[in-house]
Amino acid sequence: MGSKRVFITGGASGLGRALANRFADAGYSVCIGDVDDGRGAEALAELKAKGKAHYVNCDVTKEYALQSVADWLLSNWGGVDVVINNAGVASAGGIAEFSLEDWEWVVNINLLGVVRGSKVFARLMRDQGSGHIVNIASLAGLIYPPKMGAYCATKAAVVALSETMSLELDADNIKVSVVCPSFFRTNLAESVRASDADSQAATQRLVNKAKLGADEIAGRVFSAIEKGDFYILPHPEGRAIWRLKRWLPFKRYRAMMLKQTARMMTNRAKG
């Protein structure tokens, strides 16, 4: 058998592109899917300089688009070893303000996009006898900050789906991982839908001021995938906050989060 094969949705920019490059550096054949063909061409040129690579236009809101990729991988590369359901969008806004239309948009991409990818590629991996599905969630799927209800709900659902899949697919020799990063510097803010200008600005500020970039996160995620970790939290502070949530009595944790929320609102008011 030749090199291992990976497919990444949303692979033309941000974390997806950084992961594609990290896998290529490790000798994988890399297939990326995206809806931005311009960025896809740029990413593909980068990847081809490192080894075997392919780009396909892939809209994760369409099951047939993902099935088409699976069929291509089976016909041309004999299958796939790792699938990363990475494509996602950002959202911000309070429960009373964020529109139902925007809720449906976020759910269709962040949650159902992962469902479609997992459904399609679980079938392929069952047939080939092995595989690894990696779902990109967020620390917001474990810790739920205010003004991010739609985003938190979809990412929490991805965590729950991944836990279910890890049990359901174990007998088929299919590994599952779920990645829960905190904010890092990426182009995610480009896709944000917000109920108001303050929420939009706050999201962009959190992304732009993050200490780590996509390449650093990709390196940590790649190492954890290679080890077969289920929960992948690449930020040490994220792991610490998650531990506090699990260990503290809820009243104490809630009080801590209310203080953080008040501090965040004060900083937002100061601009």
Side-chain angles (χ1 to χ4, degrees), residues 45-62:
E46 224 173 42
L47 294 168
K48 280 191 169 179
K50 300 180 178 186
K52 195 173 180 180
H54 180 69
Y55 167 76
V56 61
N57 183 287
C58 181
D59 181 351
V60 298
T61 68
K62 313 294 183 187

Side-chain angles (χ1 to χ4, degrees), residues 136-230:
I136 306 296
S138 167
L139 188 64
L142 302 170
I143 309 296
Y144 315 126
K147 298 275 191 173
M148 293 181 68
Y151 189 75
C152 291
T154 56
K155 294 302 186 178
V158 170
V159 174
L161 172 67
S162 302
E163 289 189 10
T164 298
M165 287 169 50
S166 74
L167 301 173
E168 180 181 332
L169 300 177
D170 183 71
D172 297 303
N173 197 29
I174 300 172
K175 296 177 184 175
V176 178
S177 298
V178 62
V179 182
C180 299
S182 185
F183 287 104
F184 59 93
R185 294 189 308 279
T186 183
N187 65 324
L188 183 66
E190 290 178 10
S191 71
V192 67
R193 285 195 188 182
S195 60
D196 56 86
D198 283 348
S199 295
Q200 177 132 7
T203 302
Q204 290 174 330
R205 190 160 54 245
L206 286 166
V207 170
N208 294 336
K209 289 186 176 181
K211 293 178 182 178
L212 299 179
D215 289 340
E216 294 162 291
I217 297 299
R220 296 177 184 187
V221 171
F222 174 81
S223 297
I225 291 171
E226 289 283 282
K227 288 191 294 182
D229 292 349
F230 175 73

Side-chain angles (χ1 to χ4, degrees), residues 92-112:
I95 188 62
E97 296 82 25
F98 199 67
S99 74
L100 280 177
E101 180 185 359
D102 286 340
W103 264 94
E104 290 168 356
W105 172 75
V106 175
V107 169
N108 198 22
I109 297 170
N110 285 5
L111 173 56
L112 293 181

